[in-house]
Amino acid sequence: MTTLTGAHIVLESLLAEGTSVMFGYPGGTVIPFFDAFSDYKTLHHVLVRHEQGAAFAADGYARASGKVGVCLATSGPGATNLVTGIADAYMDSIPMVAITGQVRGDMIGSDAFQEVDILGITLPITKHNYFVEDARDIPQVMKEAFYIAKNGRPGPVHIDIPTNVFKQQVDSFNYSEKINLPGFKIPAGTDDKTVTEVVNLIKNSQKPVIICGHGAIISRAEKELRELAVRSHIPVVHTILGKGAFPESHELSYGMLGMHGMAYANFAVHNADLVIGIGTRFDDRITGSLDTFAKNAKIIHIDIDPAEIGKNVKPYLPVVGNIKDVLKQILEVLPEKKHHDWVGEIEGWTRTYPLSTKDTHRITVPKMLTELHKITEGKSIIVTDVGQHQMWTAQYYPQDESNKFLTSGGLGSMGFGLPAAIGARFARPNEEIWLINGDGGIQMNIQELMTIVQEGLEIKIAIMNNGFLGMVRQWQELFYDKNYEGTPITSPDFSLIAQAYGLNHLRCEKPSDIASTIKAARDMKGTVICEFLVEPEDNVFPMVAPGKGLKDTLIGK
Amino acid sequence: MRSTILLLSEDKPGVLNRVTSLLRRKRFNIVGITAGPTLEPNMSRFAITIDDTEERTAKIIKQIDRLIEVVEVVEIARDKSIMSEMLLAKFRSKEGMLDKLPRCKELYKANDEIIVGFIGTPDEVDLFIEKSKPLGLIEISRSGITTLPL
């Protein structure tokens, strides 16, 4: 290392934050960054094939590790290509630091080559963003960016750095120890009065239900959540991002609720007299029509973000605080209780309204997932894309641990799966990872197959090939008179794709081969593209039609 | 319901943009906005007047509070605050005109034009404008409301 530059300071800061891997793509304004990179052997840069892949990979890394994911792109198109991944992280409260190069400071505003106002673009989709004027500010900015990204309700932070600042010489690197953010508040626990109110509401409830969301996982409150549910004998349903926070094999777990949630989970919420929302933002996909949502229930809403309380659903009792801290406070005084009648009622619904699948001689996604779950004993890390297969995976791959179901929940970004699985692989190098994808989703970021090859990664890729953009086709079937406009999709020959990329390929065409195909994929070393030719016109049920309430959950066709 | 939100923030570039961008995203119309430094170094105070429902106003205050630079944000009750606005008004000058408009200050005078300044509550400013119209009022510029709690 000869002279220290702004680029070195960025890299030193990354190391100081414990970053070991980042995902990026070079370009004109970030050449100085890559030039300095050679001096940092402990930091690994993963070259993606499209900047969107970098943002999704950082997102997947963060989801699987709980650490801050880092991505980097050049100015202009490189930066705009990150945008979907940043928005995805923002919607799902994923800690991420996205760094973009910018044109030279003296050229900003001149519509220079590859100049774009990326700060203006990321402003509404980041927790915060920074423009760095002077390399001497970098340590403070980096320290704050990581701090903001991971503390309180996590989210993405974007840092825009002009190329001259990367090149600017500085005397020394001193990482900031102090945070100076007078406006950044991180709630901890709540007050005793609120705790008493929560406990009284639980005491007086005959039909309580817990809706557990992503917040329970982010604050690592799995143990407390379990203790709460068990001690007070409260049934637990979860949002898609809350999957695994409470073990799904537990007798009090009633699966996912919402638009494609279990009917019994939806009925439990609809008939409850007390709903305890824990780290959920009561998204429209879980509430259905707000007019009829949990009308007979008093709602306790526990969340770290005060702005979420009352945003969609008006709670009877708002509780602002870190979920783990709040649950601990509650557990200190919570007495034991039983709700046998209520749990029995829900049990009845599980028998009357079980998950049902299409009766067909072909492979269906649920059939494949049921086999996968059996063979992997429900222990694989699962990454999905977006659409029908995503909902089916949430339904048919129950999990007992958190941070093992990686999916784009809030933004619903197709193309998420493959790059997110790459990120997850770096976070969890030794665990089994299955990517469940559709023929649409895989083609949206298929270029990242080469990133897998260049990095020598092992991911089991299952493509559920039905020749349709399935979820939209389902809506067209149900609500648009089967007008399948824009949804039939053709695919390349995936065996040739696999061959071209130097990957293994397996094709499964009949249900009797599902298990052997999965087993063969597991036995192969390296990445396998495992193609399942599935029933083309299958629908995800249960379903709450748009605008309807949870009580109107459709059970099946 | 018209309400004024008072916020204290770090004085950094782009804070006003963050606040107004947030209001646009949540579909609020800004009636008036004033901003300026405070006695504390590196701190700014913004007074934002909006006209919306009580519920939505309460929600947007919580959203504004999420902005990293915003240190404090409160809704200002009319009866527990001083609210003031400045008006600049241009007239075609007439003899004796200023006598009919009390409490204003002449800021500029040429042969045929006069510009006066007036400070008052928003209602007083409205009234001043009404009274001015028959007196040759040509153009106005209002500062927007600024406020301090009592």
Side-chain angles (χ1 to χ4, degrees), chain A residues 44 62-63 72 86 88 90 105 133 138 165-166 222 231 242 271 313 346 378 433 445 459 472 483-484 497 506 538 541:
Chain A
H44 181 56
R63 286 174 201 255
L72 175 132
I86 296 174
D88 194 275
Y90 186 60
E133 297 263 8
I138 291 173
V165 175
F166 277 126
E222 294 92 339
R231 201 191 294 174
N271 290 285
V313 165
I346 302 173
I433 298 180
N445 269 323
I459 296 165
V472 178
N483 183 16
Y484 294 162
I497 290 282
L506 295 166
D538 196 0
F541 283 104

Side-chain angles (χ1 to χ4, degrees), chain A residues 270-291:
Chain A
H270 182 71
N271 290 285
D273 66 3
L274 179 68
V275 168
I276 309 172
I278 300 179
T280 166
R281 54 194 176 83
F282 289 104
D283 170 76
D284 58 88
R285 285 300 192 263
I286 72 152
T287 61
S289 161
L290 282 175
D291 297 336

Side-chain angles (χ1 to χ4, degrees), chain A residues 359-541:
Chain A
D359 187 19
T360 164
H361 65 281
R362 293 176 194 255
I363 301 173
T364 63
V365 182
K367 281 181 200 168
M368 181 274 173
L369 289 166
T370 304
E371 284 296 341
L372 182 68
H373 190 266
K374 195 157 57 178
I375 293 165
T376 57
E377 295 171 344
K379 291 193 171 123
S380 177
I381 292 171
I382 298 288
V383 187
T384 81
D385 213 85
V386 168
Q388 284 186 314
H389 73 272
Q390 177 191 29
M391 294 298 115
W392 274 315
T393 311
Q395 293 175 342
Y396 288 91
Y397 199 93
Q399 290 176 318
D400 287 347
E401 285 175 75
S402 54
N403 289 336
K404 286 186 126 180
F405 188 78
L406 280 42
T407 198
S408 168
L411 197 65
S413 321
M414 276 181 70
F416 170 89
L418 185 56
I422 293 172
R425 175 47 80 213
F426 282 96
R428 313 270 278 264
N430 302 317
E431 289 172 69
E432 184 170 6
I433 298 180
W434 277 85
L435 164 64
I436 313 296
N437 215 326
D439 42 339
I442 191 72
Q443 292 188 70
M444 209 173 260
N445 269 323
I446 198 165
Q447 75 284 349
E448 300 307 333
L449 287 174
M450 206 60 215
T451 308
I452 288 178
V453 176
Q454 185 164 349
E455 295 292 331
L457 306 179
E458 176 165 337
I459 296 165
K460 309 302 178 194
I461 302 172
I463 301 174
M464 303 296 165
N465 192 346
N466 60 2
F468 278 110
L469 298 173
M471 187 57 93
V472 178
R473 188 212 55 75
Q474 174 170 343
W475 281 49
Q476 288 172 329
E477 177 183 333
L478 298 175
F479 312 119
Y480 293 88
D481 295 330
K482 286 198 174 188
N483 183 16
Y484 294 162
E485 195 64 59
T487 42
I489 182 170
T490 55
S491 287
D493 183 331
F494 287 113
S495 69
L496 295 177
I497 290 282
Q499 197 187 331
Y501 281 98
L503 298 170
N504 300 302
H505 175 266
L506 295 166
R507 179 186 282 128
C508 181
E509 299 182 4
K510 49 182 199 289
S512 53
D513 292 341
I514 295 174
S516 59
T517 307
I518 293 170
K519 282 176 188 156
R522 292 182 92 209
D523 289 342
M524 283 174 170
K525 271 194 87 68
T527 289
V528 188
I529 296 179
C530 222
E531 189 184 358
F532 294 85
L533 300 184
V534 300
E535 173 69 36
E537 294 186 49
D538 196 0
N539 292 331
V540 183
F541 283 104

Side-chain angles (χ1 to χ4, degrees), chain A residues 272-321:
Chain A
D273 66 3
L274 179 68
V275 168
I276 309 172
I278 300 179
T280 166
R281 54 194 176 83
F282 289 104
D283 170 76
D284 58 88
R285 285 300 192 263
I286 72 152
T287 61
S289 161
L290 282 175
D291 297 336
T292 56
F293 178 73
K295 270 297 152 227
N296 307 315
K298 287 177 176 167
I299 295 172
I300 302 174
H301 190 179
I302 310 173
D303 203 283
I304 198 165
D305 182 356
E308 283 303 337
I309 307 240
K311 188 185 79 179
N312 295 334
V313 165
K314 263 196 202 143
Y316 178 83
L317 179 64
V319 185
V320 176

